[in-house]
Amino acid sequence: MSAWLPGPRRAAWAEGVDRLRDAATTEPGRLRIIGAVLALLVVTFGAVTAWQITERSSAARDVASRSEPLSADAAEIYRSLADANTTAADGFLVSGQEPAAVRQRYESDVHTAAQLIANAAANSQGSADTQNQVTLLNQQLPVYTGLVETARANNRQGLPLGGAYLRYANDQMTGTLLPAAQKLYQTETGRLNGDYAAAESLPWAAWILGLLALGALVWAQRRTYLRTNRVLNPGLLAGTAAAGLALVWLVAGHTVARSDLGDSWDHSGRSLQVLNQARIDALQARGNENLTLVARGAGATYEDAYEQGMSTLDGPRGQQGAGGLLAQALSLADDPGGRTPVQQAADGVAQWRSRHNVANNDDNNGDYDSALAYVIGGKDSSGTEVTQTTGQSFDTVDRSLQQAVDHETGEFERAAGDARDSLTGLPEGAAVLAVLGAAGAVLGIGRRLSEYR
Amino acid sequence: MASACAVAVTATLLPLLPCDAAPLGAEPSRGPGLTQARQVSVDDSCSHPEASLRPSSASGDAVKRIQQQGYLTVGVDQNSYLWGYRDPETGQIVGFDIDLVKAIARDILGSDAKIVYRTIPTDQRISAVQHHTVDMVVRTMSITCDRIKQVAFSTAYFQIGQQLLVPKTGTTVTGFDDSLNGKTVCAASGSTAEALLNSQPHGSRVLRVPNQLDCLVRLQLGQADAVLTDNALAAGQAAQDPAVHLIGQPLTQETYGVAMNLADTDLVRRVNKVLDDYRSGGASSPWMQAYGKWLAHNLPGVTGPPAPLYKD
């Protein structure tokens, strides 16, 4: 078969070229070729525009409806796991029976984490990285809660074994679960950045084809004018208008979408990343503050970690408010709705630090009971009920940051939604305009052709 | 004693073992029930690491320092059930060691003495004393030939030995012998149990944790097959988990002492004076009362404190 097949094929191809060459020698033949090329260019421009904008539009939709929420979920998984761990240590510090509020907070943290892990699994979309971290989280979360329950059971029987189980559970949390949640957050944030890049990448092919089609249409009209002295060819003019409109729509629509996406990132996306990090740092500082008291004298490393967390949040000791994540979040917040909660969080941190210093001084001077009361509440060593605890300050900080996150998420969704909306109808519109443009070109050329009959 | 002391001469092999480490299977000689002081000659071979300085109630530099600071800082544990542990019900640290701490604090600072408890991991006890992070460590700390070069000990206040703790059922470990081959044995880092396992592993893998109680967690979770620790502490573990028990005989003879800085000789003499009072009174001595309150139920058969030994 392959021995004789190329023969006739080459003959057919050669025949077609010959016919084209023959056609190009006469004006009607040349007009037919010009008409065909114009139609092909305009239709290709329309098709490529529809395809490229559909891709960008779906990436813009993913930013708003999939990857940003998943990245936020991953941050929330980390936060609820760390909060559960801190709360468990809180419960341990309280003498006697654990307060119901502490128990409820722990339960709700674990519930939130489990739900969001399931959600991340359902949306992993074949990403091996995501699946690995989700599997690890799914396996280790029940192990962790089992250890905490064992700690609780022993604690209630008055056995110090409970404390040993809690330390072991804390090791599992900080050594396995939190690193997995951190990796998940990085993976999801990587996907978000990928969707951003896909939505913002410039549709070069569509632009070039649009310019080529417009140029060819203009050239065809100039050629007609030179040969016939007629200024206007309605068909070609209509074709040019349709192709030109499609190109303007393409450039304008995508530029607006890019700027909306840029807004969503500059005004909210960046704020959200800083705020999420600030929440996690506040939480870890609280955890370390608790562990300093749990370790009772052997907690120098926890106290150092607390101090480091506070420096990251609010600037180094002695230069509070200078630098740090909260100052960064404040400069990123671009409206009062975003600034107010961040300012409240910063005030809360300042209050927390000064209360912590009191507690820490008591601890260093041997008044453990007062230190404990300043951190979790209760009576100090002189029997006075302490009403201004670092725990309250931490709650203020966490609540304010949550408000800031909610506000920025709203802003983000609005800007990302605008980006998606500015591309709405563009693929379909470009396709229709291209068909109209091609039809115009063909009609315009057809009118010239009819003059030769 | 002579043959046991030969072990101490080869101290490079057994850095942390007390020189009077008894051979495997030796009968433990618990408190002899007499409190008469003896004096021993001290030589380089470290025949009696538990020999301390003569008691005195005089206040020297170290005692005055504590009185000026207004409180006594003590390194303790909050995980050693019955010895020094945090009672989850009250949040207070209590136990046999803590009763002794209170007696010492009362003697130095008066009846309303303020005490700062610093809980420290097993392997931080010596550095805490050396760096004066604490005035003293009262934390089930064995007096060993190696440690007396780094810290000063009071006279002995309790006699113990290393012993194995295993689950009551489903274990093939029968004692500190080749039945440990291929098994995982847990011990606290920096403990005499860890030193013993390093020198005689019997084919076992050693799992090191910060605190002996962490070993019971690992045993319950199936990550360790056996725990090696002081029988006094192991009794505290068995009291928290009825499914485990001590097997074999104590492998060593060791004594607990209060550790202090080598420079604080007046404090050592003062603590020895407190211990003298603590031991005296026969069956109604403060020592016997504390024993009855904390240990008698889980560590029965002790008739009295070990007799003090002095080197000067």
Side-chain angles (χ1 to χ4, degrees):
Chain A
M1 289 258 290
S2 58
W4 54 269
L5 226 176
R9 267 199 181 165
R10 194 176 292 135
W13 167 243
E15 198 183 324
V17 171
D18 284 348
R19 255 203 251 156
L20 209 61
R21 198 176 290 143
D22 288 347
T25 56
T26 63
E27 180 61 12
R30 281 198 286 272
L31 284 173
R32 280 198 192 90
I33 293 172
I34 289 168
V37 168
L38 285 179
L40 192 68
L41 267 176
V42 175
V43 167
T44 312
F45 162 56
V48 168
T49 301
W51 163 59
Q52 289 199 312
I53 293 303
T54 305
E55 274 198 335
R56 279 153 187 75
S57 168
S58 96
R61 192 169 42 245
D62 282 350
V63 165
S65 64
R66 195 198 68 190
S67 46
E68 197 282 329
L70 283 178
S71 155
D73 279 2
E76 183 62 20
I77 290 172
Y78 190 103
R79 200 203 64 79
S80 16
L81 288 176
D83 197 60
N85 201 38
T86 300
T87 310
D90 233 359
F92 175 83
L93 279 173
V94 182
S95 316
Q97 200 179 328
E98 187 180 36
V102 172
R103 173 91 204 180
Q104 268 162 16
R105 181 168 176 158
Y106 171 83
E107 299 282 354
S108 117
D109 281 331
V110 170
H111 181 76
T112 307
Q115 207 166 29
L116 292 176
I117 290 168
N119 195 26
N123 287 292
S124 68
Q125 297 183 334
S127 155
D129 268 358
T130 304
Q131 274 166 4
N132 286 343
Q133 304 315 324
V134 166
T135 306
L136 193 61
L137 288 168
N138 262 331
Q139 283 169 350
Q140 292 300 316
L141 184 57
V143 175
Y144 171 80
T145 52
L147 290 168
V148 170
E149 293 313 320
T150 310
R152 238 179 219 135
N154 280 295
N155 219 28
R156 287 188 87 119
Q157 291 182 55
L159 303 175
L161 184 59
Y165 263 98
L166 195 74
R167 275 200 304 279
Y168 186 73
N170 178 60
D171 288 350
Q172 298 304 302
M173 177 57 85
T174 52
T176 312
L177 278 158
L178 288 180
Q182 170 106 35
K183 272 191 202 140
L184 182 67
Y185 177 66
Q186 281 160 355
T187 310
E188 301 288 22
T189 306
R191 282 215 284 187
L192 173 62
N193 292 336
D195 284 340
Y196 259 114
E200 288 183 336
S201 75
L202 297 172
W204 284 111
W207 286 3
I208 289 169
L209 278 165
L211 286 174
L212 276 178
L214 269 183
L217 281 163
V218 168
W219 173 81
Q221 281 169 90
R222 184 178 147 78
R223 186 178 180 276
T224 308
Y225 166 69
L226 289 176
R227 303 213 163 198
T228 64
N229 258 342
R230 266 176 299 207
V231 179
L232 292 175
N233 174 318
L236 284 178
L237 205 59
T240 310
L245 188 60
L247 186 60
V248 169
W249 190 356
L250 164 67
V251 172
H254 190 251
T255 304
V256 170
R258 268 172 67 93
S259 123
D260 284 339
L261 282 173
D263 272 2
S264 76
W265 176 248
D266 290 342
H267 295 295
S268 312
R270 228 155 16 142
S271 289
L272 278 173
Q273 291 207 332
V274 172
L275 289 169
N276 278 328
Q277 188 58 49
R279 282 191 90 185
I280 286 167
D281 280 349
L283 203 55
Q284 282 176 337
R286 176 64 183 169
N288 284 316
E289 187 177 46
N290 278 344
L291 285 173
T292 308
L293 291 173
V294 171
R296 203 167 187 161
T301 53
Y302 297 121
E303 178 62 23
D304 289 349
Y306 158 86
E307 199 50 53
Q308 209 182 335
M310 282 309 206
S311 301
T312 318
L313 262 181
D314 192 37
R317 198 174 209 161
Q319 304 168 44
Q320 279 97 325
L325 289 169
L326 289 176
Q328 214 180 324
L330 207 54
S331 72
L332 285 170
D334 41 18
D335 61 344
R339 263 194 301 274
T340 311
V342 176
Q343 189 56 57
Q344 277 165 356
D347 295 345
V349 166
Q351 185 193 55
W352 181 1
R353 283 183 117 164
S354 76
R355 287 180 185 177
H356 177 89
N357 286 344
V358 175
N360 197 35
N361 279 341
D362 280 343
D363 193 22
N364 287 336
N365 291 321
D367 195 348
Y368 179 84
D369 291 341
S370 296
L372 186 66
Y374 271 107
V375 171
I376 63 164
K379 290 196 167 98
D380 67 10
S381 54
S382 63
T384 317
E385 189 79 25
V386 174
T387 50
Q388 298 188 321
T389 66
T390 63
Q392 291 166 346
S393 306
F394 163 72
D395 284 340
T396 307
V397 172
D398 193 51
R399 210 172 31 242
S400 307
L401 287 175
Q402 169 79 61
Q403 272 171 19
V405 164
D406 289 347
H407 173 80
E408 296 297 343
T409 305
E411 296 283 289
F412 178 90
E413 281 167 0
R414 204 164 310 134
D418 286 350
R420 196 190 48 219
D421 291 347
S422 57
L423 294 176
T424 306
L426 179 51
E428 300 80 358
V432 170
L433 284 171
V435 169
L436 289 176
V442 169
L443 285 174
I445 296 294
R447 193 180 152 92
R448 280 277 292 130
L449 263 176
S450 64
E451 291 165 5
Y452 289 90
R453 283 186 186 138
Chain B
M1 227 21 155
S3 68
C5 283
V7 177
V9 180
T10 59
T12 46
L13 287 174
L14 299 163
L16 284 173
L17 268 187
C19 64
D20 56 346
L24 185 67
E27 272 300 313
S29 59
R30 281 184 179 158
L34 54 92
T35 55
Q36 233 161 20
R38 287 186 298 145
Q39 184 179 352
V40 293
S41 66
V42 179
D43 52 30
D44 289 344
S45 68
C46 174
S47 54
H48 292 285
E50 70 275 30
S52 183
L53 300 172
R54 291 268 166 201
S56 159
S57 56
S59 296
D61 289 346
V63 173
K64 282 181 186 148
R65 187 190 71 226
I66 294 166
Q67 285 166 342
Q68 263 162 21
Q69 111 194 328
Y71 52 84
L72 182 69
T73 313
V74 194
V76 295
D77 192 16
Q78 58 176 344
N79 298 291
S80 299
Y81 194 42
L82 310 175
W83 288 91
Y85 71 101
R86 179 186 180 276
D87 180 352
E89 207 43 54
T90 61
Q92 301 296 313
I93 296 183
V94 293
F96 186 89
D97 276 346
I98 307 305
D99 280 3
L100 177 57
V101 168
K102 285 178 179 158
I104 295 170
R106 263 197 309 274
D107 185 75
I108 297 177
L109 295 164
S111 55
D112 56 349
K114 217 163 124 186
I115 304 166
V116 177
Y117 294 107
R118 296 243 174 270
T119 66
I120 42 178
T122 307
D123 63 355
Q124 311 269 305
R125 294 181 292 194
I126 287 172
S127 74
V129 168
Q130 284 179 326
H131 296 117
H132 268 128
T133 317
V134 293
D135 296 318
M136 59 186 63
V137 163
V138 188
R139 192 190 174 286
T140 59
M141 189 166 178
S142 297
I143 306 170
T144 68
C145 290
D146 202 56
R147 286 173 183 165
I148 58 169
K149 294 175 197 143
Q150 301 167 292
V151 296
F153 280 99
S154 70
T155 52
Y157 68 85
F158 207 87
Q159 188 158 18
I160 53 98
Q162 300 297 316
Q163 208 167 343
L164 270 180
L165 183 87
V166 295
K168 277 183 184 163
T169 54
T171 183
T172 54
V173 177
T174 52
F176 196 69
D177 50 34
D178 289 344
S179 69
L180 288 174
N181 194 17
K183 303 289 183 192
T184 302
V185 184
C186 183
S189 304
S191 66
T192 46
E194 185 200 8
L196 185 59
L197 279 169
N198 285 344
S199 60
Q200 304 170 52
H202 289 294
S204 66
R205 195 180 75 85
V206 184
L207 175 64
R208 292 169 185 82
V209 293
N211 192 290
Q212 47 84 22
L213 188 57
D214 297 327
C215 279
L216 183 56
V217 173
R218 304 304 195 277
L219 191 72
Q220 288 188 351
L221 293 174
Q223 294 169 12
D225 301 298
V227 175
L228 186 65
T229 185
D230 309 352
N231 52 6
L233 293 170
Q237 294 191 12
Q240 297 182 73
D241 181 356
V244 299
H245 64 168
L246 289 156
I247 56 165
Q249 294 299 324
L251 307 165
T252 57
Q253 285 182 32
E254 301 169 33
T255 48
Y256 288 157
V258 176
M260 286 155 283
N261 194 288
L262 279 171
D264 295 347
T265 49
D266 63 313
L267 185 61
V268 176
R269 290 182 195 282
R270 184 69 174 255
V271 168
N272 282 344
K273 173 75 177 55
V274 175
L275 278 170
D276 249 6
D277 299 341
Y278 206 65
R279 278 184 290 252
S280 62
S284 62
S285 68
W287 193 98
M288 282 307 288
Q289 284 173 17
Y291 169 77
K293 179 178 172 193
W294 298 108
L295 304 172
H297 182 66
N298 293 292
L299 204 67
V302 179
T303 51
L309 222 57
Y310 298 109
K311 61 183 175 185
D312 58 351

